[in-house]
Amino acid sequence: MPEGDSVWRTARTLDAVAGRRVLRGDLRVPRHATADLAGATVLGTGTHGKHLLTRFDDGRTLHTHLRMDGSWSVLGPGKRLPGRLLPDLRVLLAVDDGRTACGLRLPVVELLRTADEAEVVGHLGPDPLREDWDEDEAVRRLTARPERPVKAALLDQRLMAGIGNLWADETCFLRGTSPWTPVGEVDVRGAVRLAARMLRASIADPRAHQVTTGDPRPGRDHWVVGRAHEPCRRCGTPVRVVAEVPGDAERRRTWWCPHCQPGPGPDALQARSAARSVRGLGC
């Protein structure tokens, strides 16, 4: 799933149609198949975490989410989407300068009043890429459950929006903490500041997109993510990876260096789960 910085870049792609009047607007989803966007002017596209909010001057907002497979692109005047992609088209916005914004394989397409945006993003935590970023609120939310593993907390969009798997793993490595360390044992403010700083750096320079090592060359851009069994760049210990457990939000695929990130391992989650089950049985 794209992380908050990638979604922010997608919004900047959609800036190409900002300020333009819609000549044809198709929402190819059952719920909004009859909606008519023609005549509305695109005000711009904002983001909150991994959510995209394209606003129009008629008081409506198009809410979309990429999840794993969705994408947006803008075609120049005279350009047409290849026929093989037409079955994947969910949103088409043809504007008055000849450009066309195309949303493909979008799993979430909702048209709502701009005044009601909180219905779809109001549950999200503070986002470091928004002007209303609130570090104190992010720290407060993250520390509300001190027993929760720090990586799982960082990935919870209700606590801090925009952090995905890559940023959570790289943050844990750079902070020298195991991803399964309870939040209550972590310098949460330090982790929040680091994650926010990396997200902002990722959008500031196209060459630095999702580069955490300072070296943008392929294969050298991350400390641990995607480097299973390769030597840690700091200590030489083989980087480890544990697979995702489908359906369990607390168990995402995780890369880490067991030497540079001392603390509990992935088996800690299973042990805690077993302990809770025993307590539940009254044993």
Side-chain angles (χ1 to χ4, degrees), residues 139-151:
V139 171
R140 186 192 70 78
R141 294 189 183 204
L142 284 161
T143 54
R145 289 178 54 191
E147 77 286 354
R148 195 176 188 188
V150 61
K151 177 179 176 177

Side-chain angles (χ1 to χ4, degrees), residues 82-95:
R84 61 184 172 81
L85 296 180
L86 288 177
D88 296 327
L89 186 62
R90 299 292 177 267
V91 180
L92 181 146
L93 299 175
V95 298

